[in-house]
Every structure is written in C-alpha cells, then in structure tokens.
Amino acid sequence: KAGVTQTPRYLIKTRGQQVTLSCSPISGHRSVSWYQQTPGQGLQFLFEYFSETQRNKGNFPGRFSGRQFSNSRSEMNVSTLELGDSALYLCASSVGLRNEKLFFGSGTQLSVL
Amino acid sequence: GDSVTQMEGPVTLSEEAFLTINCTYTATGYPSLFWYVQYPGEGLQLLLKATKADDKGSNKGFEATYRKETTSFHLEKGSVQVSDSAVYFCALSGRMNRDDKIIFGKGTRLHILP
C-alpha cells in the first residue's frame, strides 16, 4: 500500500509569490491534515479536511488556504509569501475524522528568499 | 486550551544508555496520548499510544505510561541504539468534541553516539 505522497519535495520561491503544495493520502483515507514544522515552533496545525470540507483550522493568517478533492487528495496554497513562511510542510492522512493514528508524508521543504 | 510540553533537546547519549524524554500535558477531559518519531528526511510516524490512565504504550523497546495524576507521558528506553537518533514528538488528542485536532509538542532531538 503506497504511503502519503507529497509533491514537490523542495520548493524555492521569492517573497510575494504564491505556492501550491499537493498531498495524496493513503488509499481509503478520507481525512487529510496539514502541519507547518519549523525549528523554533515545532509542529503547528494548519487545517484538516474530511470529505472535501474543512473541519478544523489552526491560527494561521488567511494567506494559508487549502482544499480537498473528491478523491481525498488535498492541496494547500500560500499567497503573498513571506520570509517567515520558510518551513517544512507536512501532510498527514487518517482513515476517518478523529482517527487518532496519523500517517505522515515526507513533507515539502519550502524556502522563501 | 490543550497543550503539550516536552523537554528541550538536543539529548545526547552513548549507545546502550537509558533514555527518558519527559512530556507533560494540559487537557480538558481524558485525552489519548502519543509518541511520534521523525527520522532524518522523513515524516513523522506513530511510535506508541495510550488511550486511558495507567495504560502503557510500547513499541521497539520504547515505553510510556499514561499518568493522569501527574499529567505526564514520559518516553523511556532501557538501552538506546545509534539507529534511535531522531526527533521525538509527544502529542495528545482531545476527546471533548469530534473535531478536536491532534496537538504536538515541539519535539526533542535525540543523538546517540556509538
């Protein structure tokens, strides 16, 4: 069974640009969560999607958005990039909402110059 | 709100040493508790979990006991190996409502020297 796949693996952008990250969950998993990982803050929750609906949202500005498609694949978008957005963005999937075992992808490393 | 506090790293030990990584939590109700591990260049993976007080989670020689009275879930291993070098995250999942998210601590980096 394939694991959680995130693309691209690395991204370099400049301030003011926008970026879209992609996540394909494990087959059969309907919940997808996104986390931002930085050395100083650790893992911070961005949002969670289930059946194409955002079910929970963390404390991030509106520049961070996401969506989920009918096949459970998810994308997150960051507009008007800032230097502080440089981080590892991790996607995690689980079978259902409130399923307590998360399966993580390897992440997308975003560098904003 | 719910939160997780774990000891700051990095923690550096010699091979075969005893490991303890402290984790305490604040939560309403009775959360489930987890330890996740992140090896270099990879995403997190679940190491062990405990869902109620006095439960002991264990996996790969690691153990952690859910202590409600001290709101703790310390990770222990009797004899660490170089391959245990990774970042360890303590986490909780609240049960107050169906939409509760999983909250992670900031992570503790572990270095094991041969």
Side-chain angles (χ1 to χ4, degrees), chain A residues 29-79:
Chain A
H29 285 195
R30 296 172 62 194
S31 176
V32 173
S33 301
W34 288 89
Y35 289 84
Q36 182 194 66
Q37 184 179 13
T38 58
Q41 298 298 317
L43 255 69
Q44 293 189 284
F45 175 78
L46 281 155
F47 25 66
E48 178 180 17
Y49 287 87
F50 179 80
S51 293
E52 302 177 64
T53 302
Q54 187 180 89
R55 298 303 300 262
N56 216 333
K57 190 177 189 307
N59 296 323
F60 278 82
R63 301 184 296 108
F64 292 80
S65 63
R67 59 178 176 168
Q68 186 180 35
F69 303 94
S70 58
N71 61 358
S72 294
R73 190 177 71 86
S74 178
E75 290 181 346
M76 67 163 281
N77 184 276
V78 188
S79 62

Side-chain angles (χ1 to χ4, degrees), chain B residues 79-100:
Chain B
S79 176
V80 293
Q81 306 300 313
V82 172
S83 57
D84 294 327
S85 298
V87 182
Y88 292 81
F89 293 88
C90 185
L92 70 81
S93 175
R95 295 182 180 179
M96 289 305 292
N97 63 67
R98 200 160 182 261
D99 291 334
D100 276 351

